[in-house]
């Protein structure tokens, strides 16, 4: 039994997994049959009139096999097409019954099974994971009162303030209709033309240009609900609420150069990382936080609590951690469990309601229609991954892919033939009741004037970044706008960015070859530490160390280091010139799982340079040196074994911060682990 199978067996199955078990089938050792169960005697040749004759219409097996093949792809999502899923559970930390009657938040220790899907936005299914993009997380809780879908994104602000603008933003963001170019990037004229002419977009775009736009992996992705929902308690008292998932391992990002290179080296980088962590039992964890604002405080702040293009500062509206999500099982079938999973923010349970957030109101209408179109039928909720754990009963029948067999002839309400069943439920019986929000006003197309401050919060975000984060953001703006061919569009964006920070706009203007902007930034000096990733937790756990090694290494030293790192949850890749084993001076053998050709310094978080001997010493020296140079220039930790000192030396052009040597260093193990924990050493020159 492999390690993954052992991990799967060690995780106690929840009710959702037990439900899904009835759909899991293995073909191993079974005869090949048609969908109707008829055994197949030949699966290699079509039925013909003689071996050289024409094919016959009665070849039912070829017709079934080929027709299934040409229909087996469903239309991909218009946005969020590239994604990946997993299963897990949510454990409640404390009762929230004082603000909500939602069943999953009532009892400390209560566990609720769930499924998730991470995704990017711009690129199609065939794009790459590490593109600079907005990323999303959909979580489907399988509660005893029905499914609850919580959809979040990796920024606390949205690109549009009204759902009417969402198609425009996505049309501008995605590839051109004429040539379907570019893929998985907003670095083109149409998108930046949209930004320049729709200033509400600048806030989220600035977040995407920051390190937040290129996360290191899904396990360290923070994500916010963006929209403002309601918590409603049993007394009918409502509270505004926004949700945020905070990864236990902290929030970490790739550098722009790394993200671009990894996109070519390993386009499935994030998907593989998620699977590998779960396979190894290093289950990704995210704490669920809520920000609460009482209804009477709706107008207390200098931002509109219903504006999805504004964040709620944690320093003003504290985040209360109420539970933890643990992802503990990989999907078994990508199509069935990731492609067919369907989220809808309208799927809530009693205790969770909807505010007048205009984008949320639009999403409540759009999602079901989108999923029904994509999956081909209103019966998509009967698919195993979407099916609720609790029973469901209604008067809906028929339609493509109807799986449920309803025995009753009556399919209407009200009725007398079945005692008016299925019947409605009172609130006391768990029936969902919409919060009775008072509504008044004229029918109008418009938005609140309180939404119109487009720059103050962007300025706060910029103020809150560290110098290195600001430099990365400047590089991102310069790269993206540098790809824009229209000088007018480049100038318009610089004229927009100057409202955020004049120095920022001027540097970008110089980098992209346009005139300096006039005007200056809004007079806001506020700083919120919560907005900077510099203040995130850091751990060595699940950081990946590439071990560069050949034969003739110090076996005792190296084995001690590797055992110490693994005991602290560090992942190890053994990298050498060929697969097989490398042998130490004492006969110790270590299995190589990557070569200098199949591996890459971009795919590891740190290096342990052991060195050693090789049949081709010049090539070995060059390969190791290339890895070391790449890791050094990307500020990564480097541990140097006693036999690897020749590969890195201090000079007047560098410093060795974050480089730890084993020679004559009894504390090497701990010092190297500390460096791995630090992750980046920005003061290197």
């Amino acid at each position: 039994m492999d390690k993954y199978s052992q991990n799967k067996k060690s995780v106690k199955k929840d009710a959702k997994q037990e439900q899904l078990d009835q759909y899991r089938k293995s073909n191993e050792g079974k005869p090949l049959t048609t969908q109707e169960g008829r055994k197949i005697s030949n699966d290699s040749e079509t039925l013909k009139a003689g071996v050289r004759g024409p094919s016959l219409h009665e070849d039912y097996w070829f017709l079934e096999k080929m027709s299934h093949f040409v229909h087996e792809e469903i239309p991909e999502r218009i946005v969020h097409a590239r994604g990946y899923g997993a299963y897990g559970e949510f454990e409640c930390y404390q009762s929230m019954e004082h603000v909500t009657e939602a069943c999953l938040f009532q009892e400390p220790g209560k566990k609720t099974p769930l499924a998730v899907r991470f995704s990017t936005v711009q690129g199609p299914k065939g794009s790459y994971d590490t593109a600079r993009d907005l990323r999303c997380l959909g979580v489907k809780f399988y509660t005893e009162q029905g499914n609850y879908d919580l959809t979040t994104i990796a920024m606390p602000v949205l690109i549009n303030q009204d759902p009417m603008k969402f198609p425009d933003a996505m049309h501008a963001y995605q590839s051109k209709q004429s040539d379907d170019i570019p893929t998985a990037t907003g670095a083109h004229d149409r998108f930046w033309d949209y930004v320049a002419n729709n200033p509400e977009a600048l806030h989220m775009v600035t977040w995407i240009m920051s390190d937040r736009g290129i996360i290191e992996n899904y396990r360290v992705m923070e994500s916010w609900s963006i929209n403002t929902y309601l918590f409603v308690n049993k007394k009918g008292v409502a509270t505004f609420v926004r949700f945020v998932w905070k990864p236990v391992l902290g929030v970490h990002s790739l550098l722009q150069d790394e993200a671009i290179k990894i996109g070519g080296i390993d386009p499935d980088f994030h998907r593989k990382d998620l699977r590998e962590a779960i396979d190894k039992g290093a289950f990704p964890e995210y704490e669920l936080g809520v920000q609460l604002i009482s209804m009477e405080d709706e107008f207390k702040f200098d931002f509109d609590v219903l504006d999805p293009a504004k964040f709620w500062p944690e320093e003003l509206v504290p985040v209360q951690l109420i539970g933890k999500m643990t992802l503990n099982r990989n999907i078994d079938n990508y199509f069935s469990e990731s492609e067919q999973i369907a989220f809808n923010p309208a799927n809530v349970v009693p205790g969770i309601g909807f505010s007048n957030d205009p984008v949320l109101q639009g999403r409540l209408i759009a999602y079901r229609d989108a999923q029904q179109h994509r999956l081909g039928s209103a019966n998509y909720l009967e698919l195993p991954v979407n099916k609720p754990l609790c029973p469901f009963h209604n008067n809906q029948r028929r339609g493509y892919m109807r799986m449920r067999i309803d025995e009753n002839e009556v399919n209407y309400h009200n009725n007398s033939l079945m005692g008016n069943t299925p019947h409605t439920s009172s609130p006391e019986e768990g029936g969902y009741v919409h919060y009775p929000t008072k509504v008044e006003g004229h029918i109008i197309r418009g938005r609140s004037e309180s939404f119109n401050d487009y720059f103050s919060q962007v300025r706060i975000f910029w103020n809150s970044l560290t110098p290195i984060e600001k430099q990365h953001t400047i590089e991102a703006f310069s790269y993206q706008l540098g790809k824009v061919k229209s000088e007018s569009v480049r100038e318009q964006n610089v004229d927009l960015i100057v409202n955020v920070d004049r120095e920022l706009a001027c540097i970008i203007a110089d980098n992209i070859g346009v005139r300096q902007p006039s005007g200056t930034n809004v007079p806001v000096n506020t700083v919120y530490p919560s907005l900077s990733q510099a203040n995130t937790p850091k751990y060595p756990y699940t950081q990946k160390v590439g071990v560069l090694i050949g034969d003739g290494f110090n076996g005792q030293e190296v084995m001690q280091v590797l055992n110490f790192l693994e005991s602290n949850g560090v992942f190890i890749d053994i990298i050498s010139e060929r697969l097989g084993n490398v042998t130490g001076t004492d006969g110790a053998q270590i299995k190589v799982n990557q070569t200098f050709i199949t591996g890459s310094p971009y795919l590891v978080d740190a290096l342990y340079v052991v060195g050693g001997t090789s049949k081709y010493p010049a090539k070995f020296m060059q390969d190791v040196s290339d890895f070391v140079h790449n890791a050094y220039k990307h500020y990564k930790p480097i541990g140097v074994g006693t036999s690897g000192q020749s590969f890195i030396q201090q000079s007047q052009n560098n410093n060795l911060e974050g480089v730890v040597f084993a020679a004559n260093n009894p504390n090497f193990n701990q010092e190297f682990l500390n460096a791995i924990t630090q992750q980046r050493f920005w003061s290197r020159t």
Side-chain angles (χ1 to χ4, degrees):
M1 182 184 298
D2 60 30
K3 188 173 182 180
Y4 174 47
S5 298
Q6 291 175 342
N7 283 336
K8 287 174 69 174
K9 288 184 176 294
S10 67
V11 177
K12 183 180 179 181
K13 287 187 178 180
D14 55 41
K16 184 61 183 180
Q17 295 303 318
E18 291 175 352
Q19 182 195 57
L20 289 172
D21 278 347
Q22 64 182 303
Y23 297 96
R24 294 189 175 103
K25 307 294 181 185
S26 173
N27 291 315
E28 186 175 357
K30 304 297 194 300
L32 181 66
T33 72
T34 66
Q35 294 285 72
E36 303 286 352
R38 184 183 303 179
K39 292 182 180 179
I40 301 301
S41 60
N42 185 320
D43 189 41
S44 300
E45 291 86 26
T46 56
L47 194 65
K48 310 177 187 71
V51 293
R52 299 177 61 81
S55 298
L56 302 182
H57 280 243
E58 67 180 73
D59 193 349
Y60 63 88
W61 172 233
F62 171 75
L63 180 61
E64 178 181 309
K65 184 177 181 180
M66 183 56 69
S67 64
H68 189 282
F69 171 74
V70 299
H71 290 90
E72 65 188 17
E73 295 300 331
I74 60 177
E76 69 177 38
R77 293 167 170 89
I78 297 175
V79 290
H80 315 301
R82 183 167 183 84
Y84 209 71
Y87 291 106
E89 65 180 16
F90 174 79
E91 182 175 359
C92 182
Y93 283 167
Q94 57 183 298
S95 174
M96 298 298 292
E97 64 177 352
H98 59 290
V99 288
T100 179
E101 60 176 319
C103 55
L104 66 166
F105 303 137
Q106 296 301 294
E107 303 170 15
K110 179 180 176 61
K111 295 183 178 181
T112 303
L114 55 83
V116 305
R117 184 178 184 270
F118 297 90
S119 62
T120 56
V121 170
Q122 201 266 19
K125 282 173 58 179
S127 58
Y128 65 104
D129 286 348
T130 56
R132 182 180 292 278
D133 198 0
L134 170 65
R135 283 172 178 78
C136 305
L137 168 61
V139 180
K140 186 180 290 291
F141 299 91
Y142 302 102
T143 85
E144 63 268 29
Q145 290 185 303
N147 290 349
Y148 167 39
D149 292 351
L150 176 57
T151 56
T152 58
I153 66 175
M155 284 98 196
V157 292
L158 196 61
I159 197 168
N160 54 290
Q161 295 175 315
D162 192 283
M164 187 70 80
K165 295 297 297 178
F166 187 75
D168 297 314
M170 292 302 103
H171 285 166
Y173 189 30
Q174 293 181 320
S175 56
K176 289 188 295 181
Q177 295 181 21
S178 58
D179 55 17
D180 200 34
I181 297 172
T183 295
T185 179
H188 57 84
D189 289 52
R190 296 166 62 254
F191 176 64
W192 287 99
D193 180 49
Y194 177 87
V195 174
N197 290 279
N198 295 271
E200 69 193 70
L202 182 61
H203 195 179
M204 193 185 84
V205 167
T206 304
W207 279 77
I208 296 177
M209 293 304 107
S210 77
D211 290 342
R212 300 272 185 172
I214 39 177
I215 61 168
E216 186 175 291
N217 54 63
Y218 290 137
R219 298 179 292 110
V220 293
M221 187 178 95
E222 190 173 16
S223 57
W224 291 261
S225 64
I226 301 300
N227 296 126
T228 302
Y229 293 84
L230 298 180
F231 267 168
V232 184
N233 65 19
K234 292 181 179 179
K235 297 179 180 179
V237 177
T239 305
F240 291 119
V241 60
R242 283 193 179 184
F243 300 90
V244 56
W245 290 108
K246 290 188 171 291
V248 171
L249 291 178
V251 185
H252 306 284
S253 298
L254 299 169
L255 298 177
Q256 180 166 268
D257 178 63
E258 292 176 310
I260 293 171
K261 299 290 176 50
I262 292 172
I265 296 169
D266 188 353
D268 302 305
F269 183 70
H270 287 161
R271 294 141 66 103
K272 286 181 179 178
D273 175 88
L274 183 65
R275 283 198 76 91
E276 179 184 19
I278 295 175
D279 283 350
K280 290 183 175 181
F283 300 143
E285 296 178 322
Y286 313 79
E287 292 186 299
L288 180 62
V290 294
Q291 292 176 283
L292 304 173
I293 295 178
S294 63
M295 300 290 280
E296 54 266 29
D297 288 340
E298 179 176 356
F299 304 105
K300 174 182 176 181
F301 303 93
D302 60 2
F303 57 88
D304 195 314
V305 301
L306 301 183
D307 184 352
K310 305 293 192 301
F311 57 78
W312 294 4
E314 293 185 14
E315 286 77 4
L316 302 181
V317 188
V319 173
Q320 183 177 353
L321 300 178
I322 65 171
K324 183 172 69 175
M325 172 172 67
T326 302
L327 303 182
N328 56 25
R329 182 187 177 97
N330 276 315
I331 56 176
D332 291 315
N333 184 285
Y334 171 78
F335 184 86
S336 297
E337 298 171 286
S338 185
E339 271 298 280
Q340 292 193 141
I341 195 169
F343 297 96
N344 183 350
N347 292 340
V348 295
V349 293
I352 299 174
F354 312 109
S355 76
N356 290 335
D357 176 333
V359 168
L360 176 59
Q361 292 290 314
R363 295 177 70 209
L364 298 178
I365 297 172
Y367 272 63
R368 182 177 179 84
D369 183 49
Q371 302 292 14
Q372 183 168 329
H373 166 72
R374 190 177 66 84
L375 295 170
S377 169
N379 292 318
Y380 71 86
L381 292 172
E382 294 191 50
L383 294 169
V385 72
N386 297 321
K387 190 176 181 180
L389 278 174
C390 63
F392 62 96
H393 310 281
N394 54 51
N395 293 314
Q396 297 171 96
R397 306 286 190 269
R398 303 184 180 179
Y400 292 119
M401 299 185 297
R402 183 69 175 184
M403 303 177 195
R404 180 185 175 101
I405 302 173
D406 290 280
E407 300 175 323
N408 311 108
E409 294 181 4
V410 174
N411 61 344
Y412 50 87
H413 186 266
N414 297 321
N415 67 73
S416 63
L417 294 177
M418 289 204 314
N420 208 27
T421 59
H423 59 76
T424 58
S425 299
S426 67
E428 293 74 23
E429 296 170 317
Y432 186 87
V433 177
H434 287 265
Y435 181 72
T437 304
K438 183 179 180 181
V439 177
E440 60 182 19
H442 299 284
I443 297 175
I444 186 175
R445 291 192 186 275
R447 68 183 69 174
S448 173
E449 291 185 5
S450 56
F451 282 30
N452 292 340
D453 180 2
Y454 301 131
F455 306 117
S456 292
Q457 280 204 343
V458 197
R459 171 75 176 168
I460 292 171
F461 177 61
W462 175 254
N463 292 343
S464 303
L465 299 181
T466 63
I468 191 66
E469 289 175 311
K470 288 183 176 180
Q471 180 59 37
H472 294 164
T473 306
I474 291 169
E475 292 171 0
F477 269 117
S478 301
Y479 175 86
Q480 295 260 324
L481 286 168
K483 294 280 189 178
V484 172
K485 294 180 172 53
S486 168
E487 183 174 346
S488 171
V489 170
R490 297 200 303 271
E491 287 185 348
Q492 289 176 62
N493 275 279
V494 168
D495 289 341
L496 182 66
I497 294 169
V498 75
N499 292 283
V500 176
D501 187 81
R502 176 161 180 78
E503 183 181 14
L504 167 66
C506 289
I507 294 172
I508 294 171
D510 287 344
N511 289 345
I512 64 176
V514 298
R515 58 166 172 73
Q516 295 275 306
S518 59
T520 190
N521 47 263
V522 293
V524 176
N525 298 315
T526 306
V527 173
Y528 292 134
S530 64
L531 301 180
S532 171
Q533 288 183 216
N535 302 312
T536 197
K538 296 177 182 178
Y539 302 97
Y541 186 63
T542 74
Q543 290 287 292
K544 181 172 288 187
V545 174
V547 181
L548 309 181
I549 193 169
D551 292 320
F553 58 89
N554 184 324
Q556 181 178 2
E557 174 187 291
V558 172
M559 295 305 295
Q560 184 185 57
V561 172
L562 296 184
N563 289 336
F564 178 79
L565 294 179
E566 289 183 327
S567 70
N568 283 276
V570 175
F571 291 174
I572 302 292
D573 262 357
I574 306 297
I575 306 170
S576 191
E577 58 191 347
R578 66 184 186 279
L579 296 177
N581 292 325
V582 287
T583 305
T585 53
D586 59 354
Q589 289 196 330
I590 299 176
K591 185 176 181 180
V592 177
N593 66 309
Q594 294 285 354
T595 69
F596 294 122
I597 295 175
T598 63
S600 169
Y602 288 98
L603 305 182
V604 296
D605 303 304
L607 289 182
Y608 175 33
V609 185
V610 176
T613 60
S614 166
K615 292 182 179 179
Y616 310 99
K619 181 68 166 61
F620 183 82
M621 172 74 73
Q622 184 61 52
D623 287 334
V624 174
S625 296
D626 287 346
F627 269 72
V628 171
H629 175 72
N630 185 285
Y632 182 87
K633 75 175 184 177
H634 288 114
Y635 314 98
K636 295 179 179 179
I638 301 173
V640 184
T642 54
S643 55
Q645 294 184 78
S646 61
F647 292 100
I648 185 166
Q649 298 176 1
Q650 188 168 7
S651 73
Q652 62 180 7
N653 297 320
N654 66 25
N655 66 57
L656 296 183
E657 185 187 13
V659 181
V660 184
F661 291 91
N664 303 314
N665 183 0
N667 298 319
F668 172 77
N669 288 1
Q670 188 60 51
E671 289 180 9
F672 186 31
L673 185 70
N674 293 342
I676 294 169
T677 304
Q678 182 63 29
Q679 302 186 25
R680 304 276 189 176
F681 294 86
W682 301 118
S683 65
R684 284 183 189 161
T685 56

